[in-house]
Amino acid sequence: MKNLWIIMPVLLMSLGTYAQDSLSTYSRQAAQNNISLKPGDSRFMLRGYYHTGLDAVTSEGETDYNFAGGTIAPILMYKQSDRLFFEAEFEGAFEDGEFEWGLEYADVAYVLNNYMTVRAGKFLLPFGTFMEKLHPAWINRLSTRPLGFGHDGIAPTTDVGVELRGAFHLGDVKLNYQAYVINGPQLKDGSEEPDEAGMLMFGYMADNNNDKAVGGRLGFFPFSSSALEIGLSALSGKVGDKGSRFADVRANLYAIDFSLVKNLSFMKSMVDIKGQYNYSQIGNANYKVPEDTTDLFYDFTNTSNSYYAQVSIRPSFVSNEFISNLELVGRYSSMDTPEGSLWEQSPTQLAIGLNYWIDWRTVIKLGYQTTDGLGDHDSPEPITQDMFYIHWAMGF
Amino acid sequence: MKKLSVITSIILMVGIIGYVSSCAPSAKITAKTGAQIWGENCIRCHNPASPSTFSDVQWDVATLHMQIRANLTPEEATKVKEFLQAANN
């Protein structure tokens, strides 16, 4: 047994030396043959992102510490030709102690001409920019999402359908557009979750009625440098179940987004300002009072809104490498859900963070976030929740 | 009435496509290099990747992905791809 402990390291070292030697030989041969040793000689790519870290959440005087990191998002990409492209993102996460895979999106795209690309399948909805472009952990400058996005949010995430998108220049100005037809969001009628009656559900594969939702986004770059983009989005469709008394309830959603990325040469820094305003209007409907046996109903004006504004600054052009990798970020967000609904809430949130970029797609995030206001629908009382976190996020 | 709105939409769409096709980008836009487009556009969402990150073939895939996701025109995407592949050698 003792001999084995001596033999094993020697054996491993010998194998390592042999492998290194073989690799060196191969490298020399490859260099001679002018062959690139960089990985990937097919038009199939596996990419994705992952994050892990420690959260400390304080609420009502108690602090919970939790290691986070049970979610991974691999992305598959395949280029069939210069016009045909496929992409899919999966999300693996622990749910109730069991690991489950979900499909974030999977779509096929075909470039029709210089101005039009058609996409079909399940795709991230271009409703503003946060969910389509900014939410991945290695892109999002903070470890949390702004209020209004994600679970119990008011902004749509993904859906199934067909989309036409493209971009073109008119002189110095650049415009981009996306227009889509999708199955559409669905209305929670309160039969399964009475406390959430009147909320919308996003990202479902099947349609609950024959009325397809339509929507789109128009993005506008007023300057030739592409530094500033302003976008307008809308989505409209019936959301109630076919044949139910909610069948004619329609939802109209709107968003305005803003992005400015600018080199501040006097500060040797890049500044990135982003924001999005979401507005949701759902047709009036009567919902059954929970736990009532006398068929009592209630209604409310079903409008919600949320917004966020975020500023980050990174001294990318200073000579000190450590300082050039630091980034300071601040974000303010707010959300108001319908007064009189059982999911009424009106929190505001301030988040600040200090990031260190190890490379262009790997970042250590240190942050603090405080949330005040009327809490989530599980506890519709005034709340204050503070959160400290340190996260490590990487794209791959 | 429904037919009329469908016909109007089609005419409107054809008109817009015709108008857009007849408009040209300014000389300032067409003179942009791949490096310039790469520097201006990638950073709108994420830090720009070094050309050495991927192989030439992988850049071929990644730039088509970004052409679609980030709404680059095919001309912009081609210039960025050629820059990244040239800088990668």
Side-chain angles (χ1 to χ4, degrees):
Chain A
M1 190 65 186
K2 199 176 175 180
N3 287 344
L4 194 64
W5 284 110
I6 297 167
I7 292 165
M8 280 301 285
V10 173
L11 193 64
L12 286 171
M13 280 173 71
S14 307
L15 280 172
T17 311
Y18 172 76
Q20 207 168 30
D21 201 42
S22 300
L23 197 62
S24 302
T25 308
Y26 177 70
S27 299
R28 280 195 298 276
Q29 285 171 350
Q32 282 165 5
N33 296 332
N34 201 22
I35 298 168
S36 171
L37 285 179
K38 294 194 174 86
D41 57 1
S42 81
R43 283 170 170 76
F44 175 85
M45 278 182 86
L46 173 62
R47 299 196 60 196
Y49 55 94
Y50 177 74
H51 79 278
T52 184
L54 177 67
D55 301 330
V57 180
T58 304
S59 187
E60 296 175 358
E62 283 190 23
T63 304
D64 292 325
Y65 296 90
N66 190 44
F67 280 109
T71 305
I72 185 169
I75 298 172
L76 307 180
M77 290 189 273
Y78 177 67
K79 180 181 174 179
Q80 174 93 344
S81 69
D82 285 343
R83 291 179 182 272
L84 193 55
F85 185 79
F86 170 80
E87 61 171 352
E89 179 181 324
F90 303 90
E91 188 179 79
F94 275 99
E95 290 282 342
D96 301 323
E98 288 188 11
F99 192 75
E100 291 181 359
W101 284 105
L103 181 67
E104 179 85 353
Y105 59 79
D107 56 76
V108 60
Y110 188 81
V111 180
L112 292 169
N113 55 41
N114 283 344
Y115 313 106
M116 285 191 256
T117 295
V118 64
R119 276 205 304 178
K122 188 182 188 201
F123 48 84
L124 290 165
L125 289 178
F127 187 82
T129 51
F130 186 82
M131 282 312 297
E132 192 194 23
K133 293 173 182 165
L134 306 173
H135 82 276
W138 71 279
I139 293 177
N140 187 0
R141 298 298 197 265
L142 293 157
S143 287
T144 57
R145 293 176 178 182
L147 293 169
F149 295 92
H151 184 65
D152 289 350
I154 66 165
T157 51
T158 60
D159 214 310
V160 186
V162 185
E163 179 202 53
L164 196 65
R165 64 194 289 139
F168 50 89
H169 287 98
L170 298 174
D172 276 358
V173 171
K174 184 178 173 184
L175 289 166
N176 65 76
Y177 70 91
Q178 299 89 46
Y180 53 82
V181 182
I182 53 174
N183 283 338
Q186 300 182 14
L187 182 74
K188 289 187 177 182
D189 61 12
S191 56
E192 288 183 15
E193 293 171 291
D195 289 351
E196 298 184 351
M199 281 177 78
L200 289 182
M201 297 187 289
F202 303 107
Y204 279 69
M205 297 290 285
D207 200 357
N208 62 337
N209 54 44
N210 282 331
D211 185 84
K212 301 300 169 205
V214 294
R217 176 177 178 274
L218 187 65
F220 176 59
F221 292 91
F223 306 120
S224 61
S225 66
S226 297
L228 174 67
E229 184 184 16
I230 297 163
L232 299 172
S233 307
L235 168 61
S236 178
K238 287 183 180 175
V239 291
D241 287 348
K242 183 184 175 185
S244 75
R245 60 193 175 84
F246 303 100
D248 289 326
V249 176
R250 176 172 284 277
N252 297 306
L253 312 178
Y254 307 96
I256 302 171
D257 59 86
F258 172 91
S259 171
L260 175 67
V261 182
K262 187 85 181 138
N263 176 1
L264 298 181
S265 50
F266 68 97
M267 290 177 70
K268 297 183 177 177
S269 300
M270 290 299 297
V271 66
D272 186 339
I273 303 171
K274 288 196 163 45
Q276 184 170 326
Y277 173 80
N278 307 310
Y279 179 79
S280 162
Q281 186 269 320
I282 300 163
N284 288 335
N286 294 319
Y287 302 97
K288 198 169 181 300
V289 174
E291 297 172 7
D292 179 79
T293 53
T294 58
D295 277 348
L296 274 178
F297 289 84
Y298 70 103
D299 63 1
F300 51 89
T301 304
N302 199 345
T303 58
S304 306
N305 69 80
S306 73
Y307 67 87
Y308 84 92
Q310 177 177 296
V311 181
S312 62
I313 187 160
R314 180 177 173 188
S316 305
F317 308 111
V318 300
S319 53
N320 184 299
E321 192 184 338
F322 178 81
I323 293 172
S324 72
N325 291 332
L326 289 173
E327 182 180 53
L328 194 62
V329 55
R331 184 187 71 204
Y332 182 82
S333 65
S334 171
M335 178 167 73
D336 286 303
T337 56
E339 196 177 333
S341 71
L342 298 180
W343 42 287
E344 178 183 351
Q345 51 179 317
S346 55
T348 59
Q349 189 180 81
L350 179 68
I352 53 171
L354 181 66
N355 300 333
Y356 184 81
W357 288 93
I358 296 169
D359 63 30
W360 69 279
R361 54 186 169 176
T362 310
V363 59
I364 304 285
K365 304 177 188 176
L366 187 66
Y368 168 73
Q369 174 178 294
T370 181
T371 310
D372 285 298
L374 201 63
D376 63 40
H377 62 271
D378 293 330
S379 59
E381 300 289 331
I383 60 151
T384 297
Q385 187 190 71
D386 296 325
M387 176 183 178
F388 283 96
Y389 62 80
I390 179 163
H391 278 201
W392 183 357
M394 71 176 295
F396 55 84
Chain B
M1 189 63 188
K2 203 173 177 181
K3 272 184 185 170
L4 188 68
S5 31
V6 171
I7 292 166
T8 312
S9 305
I10 292 169
I11 291 170
L12 197 66
M13 205 166 166
V14 170
I16 291 169
I17 292 166
Y19 175 71
V20 167
S21 307
S22 69
C23 292
S26 67
K28 200 195 294 182
I29 297 292
T30 49
K32 280 189 183 182
T33 63
Q36 202 176 346
I37 298 165
W38 167 79
E40 287 176 356
N41 284 275
C42 304
I43 204 163
R44 289 196 287 113
C45 295
H46 57 76
N47 297 315
S50 157
S52 63
T53 306
F54 299 123
S55 69
D56 288 358
V57 178
Q58 287 177 319
W59 278 126
D60 193 34
V61 181
T63 48
L64 182 57
H65 178 231
M66 284 296 107
Q67 176 185 324
I68 296 163
R69 180 68 68 86
N71 300 307
L72 299 177
T73 64
E75 191 186 349
E76 286 174 325
T78 303
K79 281 185 178 180
V80 170
K81 181 175 74 178
E82 285 171 359
F83 156 69
L84 291 165
Q85 289 176 338
N88 197 18
N89 291 326

